[in-house]
Amino acid sequence: MVRSRYVEMADVLAAELAGLPAGTRIAGEHEIAARFEVGRAAARAAVQELEKRLLVRRVRGSGTFVNKRIDYVISQRRAPSWHQTVREAGAEPRSVVRDVRRAPLPAEEAERLERPVGSDASLLIRQYHVDDLLHGWSNEWIPADVLADLDIAVHRVESVDAILRQMSRVQPVRSWCRVSYALPGPDVVAGLEIESGRPVWLVESVSRDAGSGRPVLCSRSWSRPDSARIVVEMDGPYQPEDE
């Protein structure tokens, strides 16, 4: 197979995909091979080239779909809300609760939240979708002295930022954040539906109440690289609109 042939095929397909909405299923390898009058190997190479360009995404057992990659912007001037940030990027967010339970704070989370190890807290585990394409996975810890009934609230309102503002009367602002490219554990690999050994974005974050300064939330969020580019803006603290 001549390399320029499958690249040429990928260029043609890429131009056609540009006008299609995210989540649109594309032709299979057999159809592509027949259309371009090439072998299955060349068709597979063309699709793999589109994957490398982050234009399509394979979903096990379902097919290959038009991909959409957003700029996920982390900024102190923005509310630390995943749903709001995705909407501001021009996409539609959706989160699915995979588990929510009361649990004692582990050592690292306790240090970040400035609480004693073993303090009562809620652990929320969620899976995220952007324009109905799988995007991320997160573990979020909220001390019980900030919000005691997260398990009830999170099934009514998707945004934890909104829940904290409405039920705890706090104004979360991002006070600390670390972004890295990391290998996730088996549970996250399964949740992101990726191959083991593939690195993803890891965003670790702590939010404080703007008024009291006390930590109210810490989280670890893993995002598929084909779903988002993480953009960090160093531009000063977030100011709520009502201030």
Side-chain angles (χ1 to χ4, degrees):
M1 176 175 54
V2 180
R3 180 183 182 279
S4 60
R5 179 55 175 152
Y6 76 78
V7 172
E8 179 182 284
M9 292 162 54
D11 289 341
V12 172
L13 293 169
E16 295 172 352
L17 298 179
L20 297 178
T24 301
R25 185 170 181 170
I26 73 168
E29 293 175 3
H30 285 296
E31 296 172 81
I32 294 173
R35 173 186 170 183
F36 288 95
E37 299 181 341
V38 296
R40 180 79 178 273
R44 182 180 300 112
V47 174
Q48 290 173 341
E49 177 67 20
L50 293 174
E51 281 189 282
K52 291 178 183 177
R53 300 181 191 182
L54 305 175
L55 298 177
V56 302
R57 181 191 300 187
R58 292 178 189 260
V59 178
R60 288 177 301 192
S62 299
T64 304
F65 300 84
V66 176
N67 189 42
K68 179 179 179 179
R69 194 171 188 238
I70 65 169
D71 277 358
Y72 187 86
V73 180
I74 297 173
S75 164
Q76 286 187 309
R77 289 188 179 276
R78 295 171 180 250
S81 166
W82 179 82
H83 292 81
Q84 181 174 325
T85 301
V86 171
R87 289 193 182 98
E88 290 173 351
E92 185 59 33
R94 178 170 63 90
S95 61
V96 180
V97 175
R98 293 306 181 188
D99 190 16
V100 56
R101 62 181 184 269
R102 295 289 277 269
L105 277 175
E108 190 167 0
E109 283 73 16
E111 181 180 359
R112 291 179 180 178
L113 289 169
E114 299 175 5
R115 268 55 169 203
V117 174
S119 295
D120 192 18
S122 292
L123 169 61
L124 173 61
I125 300 176
R126 293 191 290 177
Q127 188 181 52
Y128 298 101
H129 296 77
V130 173
D131 289 334
D132 287 327
L133 291 174
L134 184 56
H135 166 85
W137 184 271
S138 74
N139 294 347
E140 299 164 278
W141 290 89
I142 299 176
D145 59 26
V146 174
L147 180 63
D149 300 316
L150 178 63
D151 56 336
I152 298 173
V154 78
H155 291 293
R156 298 178 179 176
V157 180
E158 282 195 50
S159 171
V160 170
D161 180 77
I163 290 172
L164 289 172
R165 292 175 185 274
Q166 294 169 12
M167 296 186 64
S168 300
R169 297 295 187 262
V170 299
Q171 297 180 17
V173 293
R174 185 176 280 109
S175 64
W176 175 84
C177 182
R178 178 167 63 195
V179 180
S180 58
Y181 203 49
L183 291 174
D187 56 336
V188 178
V189 167
L192 293 179
E193 298 180 6
I194 59 175
E195 298 176 1
S196 180
R198 177 176 294 184
V200 300
W201 292 116
L202 169 59
V203 178
E204 300 170 273
S205 182
V206 175
S207 294
R208 295 178 179 269
D209 174 31
S212 66
R214 64 174 178 157
V216 296
L217 168 71
C218 77
S219 66
R220 284 188 176 88
S221 300
W222 296 264
S223 301
R224 295 176 55 125
D226 58 2
S227 175
R229 183 178 69 157
I230 305 298
V231 179
V232 178
E233 295 181 348
M234 305 293 291
D235 54 3
Y238 167 70
Q239 296 294 332
E241 293 181 1
D242 56 355
E243 286 194 350

